Amino acid sequence: MDLLFRDDPYLETCEASVISADETGIRLDRTVFYPMGGGQPGDVGVLRTDDGTEVRIVDARKGESHEDVVHIPEDGAPSLAPGTKVTAEIDWERRHRLMRMHTCLHLLCAVVPGEVTGGQISDGKGRLDFNLPELTLTKEEITDGLNRLVEADHAVGPRWITDEELAASPDLVRTMSVKPPMGSGRVRLLDIPGVDLQPCGGTHVARTGEIGKVAVRKIESKGRQNRRINIVFAD
Ligand SMILES: [Zn+2]
């Protein structure tokens, strides 16, 4: 399966052929749908055939491998035969908000020191958990730090390294709970030069300015060591 969002996260649609459709969902030969992973929700959208049939997609999940995307149709959707040509279209407005928030969480890694133990992105908000017994930064200081990096409009882009290069640089891995997929020979890094560099397979905006103004909504203590920082869009 050709995962088009990896090289171009701004693609809203693509032409594709149905490979299979069963009780687990629909597989295509290529797709713009990002499957849930790395704290980022799966895309929703629609598959359209030339004869006007529409199949609403309510989620996208990883299948048996990292290259396998399963498109989950809504209940009662018409079935699609293998070989059917479709136009796959994601809900772009939602995806773009997810891309902005996802990229913002990379900035949060740059503003807050400490190991990341988990994270979650949802529509309009996001959060990271840090292993930090003492957090000396206030809500306002983190908000200011994030917005400075947004305003600086840093470039954001993927970069690939080999499994061996990653194994030799364990400091690249900020997230203990989400191990980068190794074994395929190469690992995708998300690079915001001079700001953040870490393995990430998600979708991101091209420049930090596109994130827009953000704010720390609250900082929660989840256990003795764990600080959960919650981010929202401020405009
Ligand atoms: Zn990322």
Side-chain angles (χ1 to χ4, degrees):
M1 189 179 289
D2 207 357
L3 308 183
L4 302 174
F5 53 82
R6 269 191 190 161
D7 292 322
D8 186 358
Y10 287 87
L11 277 180
E12 300 173 36
T13 72
C14 72
E15 304 300 312
S17 296
V18 175
I19 299 292
S20 68
D22 56 27
E23 66 284 349
T24 63
I26 301 162
R27 288 174 166 86
L28 306 173
D29 62 340
R30 57 213 296 267
T31 192
V32 289
F33 281 73
Y34 177 81
M36 183 178 83
Q40 182 177 332
D43 282 322
V44 303
V46 64
L47 306 181
R48 284 195 189 87
T49 68
D50 290 343
D51 68 7
T53 304
E54 284 199 351
V55 175
R56 295 257 148 222
I57 301 300
V58 295
D59 199 1
R61 298 289 179 98
K62 278 188 184 132
E64 274 143 35
S65 73
H66 286 287
E67 309 278 320
D68 187 19
V69 178
V70 182
H71 305 76
I72 315 290
E74 72 178 352
D75 283 344
S79 60
L80 295 172
T84 306
K85 304 276 184 234
V86 296
T87 301
E89 181 181 341
I90 57 170
D91 178 342
W92 169 249
E93 309 262 307
R94 173 179 178 274
R95 156 73 90 71
H96 190 238
R97 287 191 296 271
L98 294 171
M99 281 166 51
R100 288 164 58 210
M101 184 53 71
H102 185 140
T103 310
C104 181
L105 294 187
H106 283 271
L107 301 186
L108 186 58
C109 286
V111 171
V112 177
E115 262 167 325
V116 176
T117 57
Q120 190 64 50
I121 300 154
S122 50
D123 196 355
K125 59 187 183 180
R127 62 168 206 246
L128 285 180
D129 292 349
F130 290 87
N131 183 14
L132 270 182
E134 298 285 336
L135 177 63
T136 52
L137 294 163
T138 66
K139 241 168 74 162
E140 291 70 28
E141 285 168 333
I142 298 171
T143 295
D144 288 349
L146 290 173
N147 285 320
R148 267 198 298 276
L149 290 171
V150 168
E151 280 158 29
D153 200 25
H154 293 280
V156 178
R159 170 144 95 75
W160 293 87
I161 60 169
T162 63
D163 283 359
E164 293 74 42
E165 285 169 319
L166 180 65
S169 318
D171 52 311
L172 275 179
V173 182
R174 287 290 298 272
T175 310
M176 295 193 299
S177 63
V178 187
K179 288 269 179 293
M182 303 207 12
S184 64
R186 58 181 202 155
V187 172
R188 186 177 188 265
L189 301 180
L190 195 276
D191 192 10
I192 308 175
V195 178
D196 185 54
L197 175 67
Q198 58 179 303
C200 188
T203 61
H204 311 86
V205 292
R207 304 198 67 88
T208 61
E210 204 172 316
I211 297 168
K213 216 165 183 288
V214 295
V216 175
R217 189 170 58 87
K218 63 177 172 180
I219 300 174
E220 300 167 276
S221 290
K222 295 278 171 186
R224 196 163 55 84
Q225 306 262 12
N226 208 11
R227 298 292 171 271
R228 173 170 292 176
I229 304 180
N230 295 273
I231 311 288
V232 291
F233 293 124
D235 42 19

